[in-house]
Amino acid sequence: MTRTWFFILISLTAAPAHADDSRGIAKRLLRMITGVPARENDPRLDAMAAKVSSGDLTGAAYLGTEDDNFYDVTLTQFASHLSTREEFQRTPLNDFTATFVGAAVDNLDARQLLSGDFWYQGKNVAGLPAGDGNSNAHYQFLEASRAPLKTHLQRVSPQRSGIVGAGLLTTWTYLKAHVFRGTNRRPTEFAIRDFLCRSVQDIADLNTPRDRIRQDVERSPGGSPIVFNNKCAGCHGLLDGLAGAFAKWNFEFTDQMVRVNGNVEYTPGSIQPKMIQNAANYPAGYVTTDDSFVNYANLNANSAFGWRGPQEGSGVAALGSMIAASKQFPRCMAERAFSQLCVNVDYTVDRLTRTQKEQLLAAQNLIQGLADDFEASGYQLRRLFAMTATMPKCLNR
Amino acid sequence: MKNVTPILLGLFLTACSLEQRVLNVSTKGGDDVARRNALLPPVGLQNFRQAIAAREAALGSQLNLASPVYAKIAGLLSPSGDSETTQSPLLVAMGTLSSELCTQLVDRERVLPSAQRSYFKNVLFSTTTVSLDDNKSHEVAQDLFRIALQRPPSTGEEAAVADAVREAATGANPANAVPDRVGVVVGCSAVFASPDAITN
């Protein structure tokens, strides 16, 4: 039903336009996709206008995704604030952002971004230092060169020899942000925030099994088991079940004062000590012994995520595959694309204003239609953004 | 003068833009929600990436900015494009960025023979006298809207920018600067810092 309405709306928008209208619509589409006003003499406008005239709005928008600024401005903006713990947009180019952009350039299935053992590095830039895996120097040099990402990125696989990578989730930037110290729950929490568009608080469920809650979680915080039973268990029950996937990963800065450079550590035969720290808090709690995980975030109200495929496994790639296979993943990507292009806000869980939430709520059917199309078209990011730009709410801005 | 005039003129253009928006709303009819939505976002600011890329697209090449200047400007522009990030430093940064763009654009054009220029074909850029009379300043205003906004100016906008261009050129001291250059850069900066040019 939703899909039907979606295509009715698209077809209404796609009614053949007059020549002048066609060029105007083409300009608006190009501006929407690139974030930059289209120049009157832009050579692509003619081809785009011709497609608009024939009613092929998506085809016109897709042509717009050839523009360098789609990658350098729109997609870089999209990925940047997902790459850091603080969720800042003003983040230097890094391996996370470059890999996201590169996947769009190469029309990869976006699900691979969470499980594929690859990343993207720069190429054909004079003086570009090699990507050393211990700093962001390679990407900052690439950004400073102002070389268009569309033509200066190359896929590199595997990410690290001897270690199975998991796309964005095992990039240096993501690990730097989320597995430095702590308890390695944060990378899972942010995987849910970034790719399922929900905070852990959103999906807390007091009725999940508690057998994976680790020893470091006090069962009577402040002397009261009521707090644990009515609050802590809601998040830890499902988060601790998933966080085991990162049990073998760690990050240490080599410059503790400024925290710019650092090394990723992976221990293939054992877990990181931080996974079993503070065991005395509750000795009867779960003891992590490997990087297995189990998904308890698929019960009760959380079944709405539309999980598909195996619900347990080992390692980050398996976790990423599970997240990417859910129905919520394409929906989240669609929601983010719609937010950026049509509501003019970078979707950040918990930070949307009431007005922005209302605008997204009012567009739920459109967003679901975009998500369905994204999935049906093989999870191609360019297609998602092209389709989003043709939404009446975007086009009529 | 160089810093204040674009901002004052930008405020005038803000008024024009808002007036147009209110007119659009009042002619739409419909219920209160439609009216409210018409006034609220999706109008948003250009984020820092869009603001810089848009000006480089207008220039046709990358802005030649020293790294510290680039970082300072980018650091003051909106990170997200959210209209709620509109603050005074952001508007100043937009003005500065626009001034940098316009200086480079005008300097590129003015050294070319008139026939080879893309814009400002009839401006002499003499080091001693002002060539910007009424007609030429209106031509400059039309050029500036074409460059910055890809549309012709309204009558009011054209008159405001033409006046500013002419007055800035007339007020410049030829001993210190090329008067026509000052006039065109001031007008250009104002148009590039106007609401239409800094919003999505």
Side-chain angles (χ1 to χ4, degrees):
Chain A
M1 183 64 179
T2 303
R3 207 171 158 81
T4 309
W5 275 109
F6 177 69
F7 284 111
I8 289 172
L9 278 168
I10 290 294
S11 60
L12 285 174
T13 313
H18 295 296
D20 288 348
D21 293 347
S22 301
R23 198 167 175 82
I25 291 170
K27 284 176 72 174
R28 288 210 296 279
L29 278 175
L30 193 55
R31 177 172 188 158
M32 200 68 60
I33 288 164
T34 63
V36 174
R39 313 306 303 168
E40 190 55 55
N41 57 358
D42 190 313
R44 281 161 304 200
L45 284 178
D46 290 336
M48 289 177 69
K51 286 202 177 285
V52 172
S53 292
S54 64
D56 183 9
L57 267 187
T58 308
Y62 201 78
L63 281 178
T65 63
E66 297 285 350
D67 192 290
D68 286 346
N69 282 325
F70 172 62
Y71 303 95
D72 296 341
V73 177
T74 304
L75 290 184
T76 300
Q77 179 79 7
F78 185 95
S80 284
H81 81 293
L82 302 181
S83 68
T84 63
R85 180 178 178 181
E86 298 81 7
E87 299 178 314
F88 288 156
Q89 290 92 346
R90 213 190 314 275
T91 302
L93 183 69
N94 53 55
D95 55 353
F96 184 104
T97 305
T99 300
F100 186 89
V101 173
V105 173
D106 288 347
N107 271 329
L108 297 187
D109 182 327
R111 289 174 298 180
Q112 292 183 34
L113 283 170
L114 301 190
S115 60
D117 190 4
F118 65 88
W119 53 26
Y120 279 75
Q121 295 183 336
K123 66 173 181 181
N124 299 337
V125 174
L128 183 67
D132 58 6
N134 299 322
S135 74
N136 199 40
H138 173 83
Y139 295 95
Q140 286 185 267
F141 189 97
L142 178 62
E143 184 173 45
S145 76
R146 313 293 305 280
L149 294 179
K150 181 185 166 192
T151 49
H152 289 80
L153 286 176
Q154 62 181 341
R155 181 180 153 127
V156 175
S157 180
Q159 291 182 344
R160 304 170 182 88
S161 64
I163 305 174
V164 177
L168 301 175
L169 300 179
T170 50
T171 53
W172 181 84
T173 304
Y174 191 82
L175 294 172
K176 174 187 162 200
H178 302 309
V179 303
F180 169 62
R181 298 193 177 158
T183 57
N184 277 11
R185 292 181 175 96
R186 198 165 64 238
T188 308
E189 177 191 354
F190 273 76
I192 293 169
R193 282 178 74 90
D194 292 348
F195 303 108
L196 298 178
C197 291
R198 291 289 182 274
S199 70
V200 170
Q201 288 76 15
D202 286 341
I203 64 173
D205 181 1
L206 290 169
N207 296 314
T208 56
R210 299 174 181 186
D211 60 303
R212 297 285 291 218
I213 300 180
R214 285 189 235 155
Q215 294 171 311
D216 63 340
V217 179
E218 289 189 42
R219 274 30 175 204
S220 297
S224 168
I226 296 173
V227 176
F228 171 79
N229 285 324
N230 291 331
K231 193 171 181 185
C232 308
C235 295
H236 279 286
L238 52 88
L239 198 55
D240 285 19
L242 294 168
F246 284 91
K248 296 178 177 176
W249 293 88
N250 189 34
F251 185 94
E252 282 299 333
F253 285 101
T254 52
D255 47 5
Q256 283 293 340
M257 291 297 285
V258 290
R259 294 187 176 180
V260 173
N261 304 315
N263 297 323
V264 170
E265 297 172 359
Y266 179 80
T267 47
S270 61
I271 60 162
Q272 295 288 336
K274 60 183 167 182
M275 298 298 293
I276 49 173
Q277 67 187 5
N278 297 322
N281 284 353
Y282 187 69
Y286 180 75
V287 180
T288 304
T289 57
D290 55 22
D291 62 355
S292 65
F293 67 88
V294 58
N295 185 11
Y296 289 146
N298 57 4
L299 307 169
N300 309 313
N302 290 330
S303 60
F305 279 114
W307 298 100
R308 295 176 285 201
Q311 295 297 290
E312 56 185 38
S314 294
V316 182
L319 177 71
S321 292
M322 186 184 78
I323 290 172
S326 72
K327 280 186 173 292
Q328 182 66 11
F329 171 66
R331 185 176 172 80
C332 177
M333 291 293 105
E335 196 155 22
R336 288 186 179 282
F338 188 88
S339 289
Q340 185 177 353
L341 296 194
C342 308
V343 187
N344 209 71
V345 59
D346 298 313
Y347 187 101
T348 307
V349 175
D350 296 340
R351 292 192 201 159
L352 297 176
T353 65
R354 183 177 169 186
T355 304
Q356 290 161 351
K357 284 179 185 168
E358 284 174 358
Q359 289 179 329
L360 287 175
L361 200 60
Q364 285 305 296
N365 286 346
L366 290 176
I367 291 169
Q368 187 59 54
L370 286 171
D372 291 344
D373 181 80
F374 180 47
E375 182 175 343
S377 63
Y379 294 85
Q380 290 191 0
L381 290 166
R382 284 175 61 190
R383 163 92 184 179
L384 171 63
F385 277 82
M387 286 296 290
T388 305
T390 64
M391 294 288 102
K393 186 171 172 55
C394 267
L395 207 48
N396 295 334
R397 276 175 59 183
Chain B
M1 181 67 180
K2 182 185 173 187
N3 291 329
V4 174
T5 306
I7 293 172
L8 291 177
L9 193 51
L11 289 174
F12 170 80
L13 296 174
T14 304
C16 293
S17 178
L18 288 177
E19 180 189 35
Q20 188 59 48
R21 241 170 252 177
V22 171
L23 283 174
N24 287 342
V25 173
S26 65
T27 55
K28 276 180 194 245
D31 57 19
D32 290 342
V33 174
R35 285 168 200 268
R36 189 193 67 168
N37 284 342
L39 283 169
L40 286 173
V43 173
L45 290 173
Q46 290 172 336
N47 64 48
F48 71 107
R49 290 189 173 89
Q50 292 172 333
I52 293 169
R55 278 146 191 81
E56 292 188 335
L59 185 62
S61 62
Q62 290 180 0
L63 279 165
N64 181 20
L65 292 176
S67 292
V69 177
Y70 184 92
K72 185 176 179 183
I73 292 173
L76 290 173
L77 297 175
S78 173
S80 62
D82 189 335
S83 55
E84 292 186 6
T85 59
T86 310
Q87 292 172 341
S88 303
L90 180 147
L91 295 175
V92 172
M94 280 290 190
T96 307
L97 179 64
S98 300
S99 295
E100 292 285 352
L101 154 72
C102 292
T103 304
Q104 292 176 32
L105 177 70
V106 172
D107 284 350
R108 185 185 71 193
E109 292 293 305
R110 74 188 178 102
V111 297
L112 298 173
S114 176
Q116 291 178 22
R117 291 183 199 160
S118 300
Y119 311 106
F120 324 128
K121 287 181 183 294
N122 295 319
V123 183
L124 295 182
F125 294 111
S126 159
T127 55
T128 54
T129 58
V130 177
S131 75
L132 287 163
D133 58 17
D134 195 49
N135 283 341
K136 285 178 184 167
S137 57
H138 276 263
E139 286 174 12
V140 167
Q142 290 169 9
D143 275 352
L144 292 175
F145 272 78
R146 193 154 53 92
I147 301 167
L149 304 174
Q150 296 85 49
R151 67 169 174 84
S154 68
T155 307
E157 288 170 335
E158 183 177 322
V161 173
D163 285 351
V165 167
R166 197 171 51 251
E167 287 171 11
T170 307
N173 182 351
N176 299 328
V178 178
D180 287 351
R181 176 178 181 267
V182 172
V184 178
V185 168
V186 165
C188 174
S189 304
V191 177
F192 268 101
S194 68
D196 275 1
I198 68 172
T199 52
N200 273 322

